[in-house]
Amino acid sequence: MATYHLKRLKNGINVYLHPTKKFKTILVQLIFHRRLDADKVTQSALLPSVLQRGSVNYPTRQKLAKRLEELYGTELMVDVIKKGERQLIVYTLDLVHDQFLPGENSLLRQSLEILNEIITKPLVENNAFKADYVRQEKEQHEKVIRGLINDKIAYSIERCLQEMCANEPFSVFKYGTSEQLAKIDENSLYQFYYQFLQESPTDLHLIGDLAVEETLALVEEIFAYPRAQEEEIPPTLVEKEPEKVRYVQDELDVNQGKLVLGFRTGISYKDKDYLALVMYNGILGGFPHSKLFQNVREKASLAYYAYSRIEKHKGLMVISSGIEVTNYIRTLDIIEKQIEAMAKGDFSEEIFQNTYSGLRNQYLLEEDSPAAFTNRALDDILAGRTWTTQELLQELARVKPEDVVRIAQNVQLDTVYFLTKKGGA
Amino acid sequence: MTHVIEQSLLQEKLYRRRIEPGLEVFVLPKKGYRKKYATFSANFGSIDSHFVVEGEGKEIVVPDGVAHFLEHKLFEDETGNVFDKFAVLGASSNAFTNFTNTTYLFSATENFPECLEVLLDFVQTPYFTEESVEKEKGIIEQEIRMYEDNPQWRLFFNLLEALYQEHPVKIDIAGTVESINKIDKDILYKCYRTFYHPSNMVVFVVGDVEPESVLNQVENNLNKYNHQPLGEINRLYPTEPPEIVRDYVEQTLVVSEPLLNLGFKETDVGYDGLPLFKREIATSLMLEAVFGSSSQLYNELYEEGLIDDEFDAGYVAEVGYGHTVIGGETAHPEKLYELLVAGIKRAQEQGIDAQTFEHHKRKMMGEFLKSFNSLEFIANNFPAYHFKNINFFEYLEVMQDIKLEEINVRLQEHLDFKRMACSVIKPLK
């Protein structure tokens, strides 16, 4: 949000420091950027779990967990996320600020040292990771890959996007595939690890009540591991014309059908029209006052949830709703009518204003959450943007109803996906 | 008259005022936050389906799912949808119902006094029609269906059905498709008039606000409604025997891996306040020590490939019931069951040592402090504890006072195999 202090460490890690006094905590995120490459995503998604299994000073999970407990439950977490055609491996440290802990004055230093230890001093045997750890973490990772189906809402959205972007890098699942996983062993992963650490563009975000110079010196001292030439990550493909609408159905033994519509907008976070797209999405399905909630749920009583959301770096929009399988045609018809109405400019001044106010509220709220704060900073970095919340809100205020109509006329339905009951409706 | 409650460890000040006829209002100023968050909670949850009001004589039994249904319907008023009123003000509003209470809320960065007025007004102004009640049934039916496909939810409710013979905690919060179809506007009005009386409610406001002006605004608003005193609400719960219903329950669903929950039923129930709070925290500390990510048992199970890092153990302590739930996804439920039982026996033989205990205290202290970043966490939890006569802000002090012996006693008494049930979800072949 352009309120950070930026420093490039000697080894090329970019540090973003966001000083603020309002939190009781310090949040640290170390982010490795990867291209969404079908051959490599599985390795980079598996790697952090193996690293957390054991390092030189914390050779077991238990020793690491005990050490973190001593530090007042400092949390060390890893997430794998996808933004556009990019895979991000995000290490997060969440710790209490010393000022709330009588007698403590170096919790941040101790926590950062642990993070650095985990990523740079793995337990190595015969020039490879410990075989047991790799085998066990492969089993765990296999469960993560197959576990997508357990959440039917997330599963149906992922399936829709997979079908829709079948021939684009975006269709790659962020956790990789079982086939790739089977090929990994303790040697190959160890070789990959060096490449990962040295070549992945890397950011470090810190947010909390932090003294700027002192903190920058601290991270320079701790994160001093050697790195090499960074890998170029190609830009995400945003513009693609769908030929004709594809209809895809999967059958599972479920009680509720999940209807998902995937759209191409041709607009991503870095584009001038992005906030007009945000307004479009907001009016259509971002809020309880929006067209989808009002028409699918409130008027027709067809669903408990019906919303739309944007994948901001890939320029996609997804509509998702859980319905009785027999109501597929009826629901699809109502949703399509809302899309048509948007393109005709058939939305009231009131819904436009309410959407503007609601979005304004959402953007302001992001400043109250350390995680939302760093997430927006990350989006800005990916898009090469530096705007403050104030600047963003000014841009949002400039969006006019005719801009929304222009967006609506260019949004194209690509894929209609339906997860239905076995045997069909 | 405003009371100020200072909490030195948290470095927070809480303002409190009681407004006639009995509404409790709390304000927690948080400097520097953009967000202002307010909740209006009624001490009325899914378990409150049988009651009698003092002076009214007649016992009333309502269909399951009424509290949740009422929550949905309160968002409508004569002019339409309350969501729109918040939308005009740029605020977002929501509500949730759980076993014991119903909470309405909004978060706003601007127009706070106007938003607070909308919240106070809509919760105090029921408007139910036959037509709108009928229309809601389709929506709630889809909400119920959504949960039917949620493996964690099914796992949990199957467990509660195995643990409890009579207590309504075993019934889904939203009720069933059958029970909600019995709900009509008269039932909603009856419940509303009983449980949405100010003396059964709490307002909690948190954010960068001026406490006196917020308290005055709530007082002025409430005075408009001229609420009359209400007789005491007597909630009638069936007598729950200490015995469980069955020790094993299984269901098949579309899942990639089996899921397992072990549950232990609390038998030391029937009281609130500080003793309940102590029991809750002591039991949570005990569970952390035995099942937490630094425990011997957790690490053995992890290395055996029987659990993943979502494996969890948690304790619930309400006035009339309580239970521990332990578990997660597992490739081999039978093996996990066996090793959990053996692990609990071993822990009971060895007891929890002083160093482990101190570590877990530190960890829980850190976690509590961290959760205070979240205004939602504070405002959603405080009223729920208040209804149990617990001051949630005393958490750190109460925890500091807990002795090692107390958690070792909980380990022996609460993890009683006679009160244990197991719920398993298996993948559909």
Side-chain angles (χ1 to χ4, degrees), chain A residues 255-256 324, chain B residues 141-149 177:
Chain A
N255 290 296
Q256 185 180 62
E324 205 63 47
Chain B
E141 186 173 332
Q142 286 312 311
E143 191 175 359
I144 292 171
R145 295 268 179 252
M146 182 176 82
Y147 282 109
E148 285 173 352
D149 285 333
V177 173

Side-chain angles (χ1 to χ4, degrees), chain B residues 253-313:
Chain B
L253 279 176
V254 180
V255 288
S256 61
E257 287 281 328
L259 296 145
L260 176 143
N261 268 354
L262 269 194
F264 288 90
K265 181 172 172 179
E266 182 62 74
T267 50
D268 177 21
V269 294
Y271 55 91
D272 64 2
L274 192 60
L276 178 63
F277 204 22
K278 269 192 96 157
R279 191 185 82 211
E280 179 185 345
I281 298 172
T283 311
S284 303
L285 270 166
M286 179 272 285
L287 292 174
E288 264 292 319
V290 178
F291 303 100
S293 59
S294 69
S295 68
Q296 189 188 349
L297 182 56
Y298 177 100
N299 286 280
E300 287 167 359
L301 298 172
Y302 189 91
E303 276 163 36
E304 287 277 325
L306 291 172
I307 60 169
D308 57 31
D309 51 19
E310 309 265 299
F311 177 84
D312 195 25

Side-chain angles (χ1 to χ4, degrees), chain A residues 24-25 61-62 69-70 73 75 137 140 146 150 152 255-256 298 301 324 360-361 367-368, chain B residues 10 12 34-35 90 109-110 135 142 149 254 256-257 294 298 302 307-308 360 362 370 373:
Chain A
K24 288 184 160 59
T25 58
R61 271 179 71 105
Q62 192 175 15
E69 251 159 34
E70 271 174 15
E75 277 171 277
E137 291 307 320
Q140 294 281 3
R146 289 192 294 125
N150 299 337
K152 304 296 178 290
N255 290 296
Q256 185 180 62
E298 293 297 299
S301 298
E324 205 63 47
R360 196 182 145 79
N361 188 40
E367 297 196 342
D368 284 349
Chain B
L10 286 170
E12 306 279 9
R34 292 274 196 180
K35 178 186 320 193
T109 47
E110 293 162 315
K135 190 209 72 178
Q142 286 312 311
D149 285 333
V254 180
S256 61
E257 287 281 328
S294 69
Y298 177 100
Y302 189 91
I307 60 169
D308 57 31
H360 285 287
R362 270 195 178 205
K370 277 190 266 178
N373 269 356

Side-chain angles (χ1 to χ4, degrees), chain A residues 264-301:
Chain A
R264 307 249 177 200
T265 73
I267 298 161
S268 77
Y269 192 62
K270 62 182 185 307
D271 291 311
K272 201 176 169 308
D273 267 338
Y274 176 71
L275 289 171
L277 173 65
V278 169
M279 281 294 292
Y280 167 80
N281 176 66
I283 295 168
L284 177 65
F287 298 92
H289 67 256
S290 305
K291 284 180 175 285
L292 291 176
F293 191 93
Q294 285 302 316
N295 290 288
V296 177
R297 174 176 151 142
E298 293 297 299
K299 291 207 180 94
S301 298

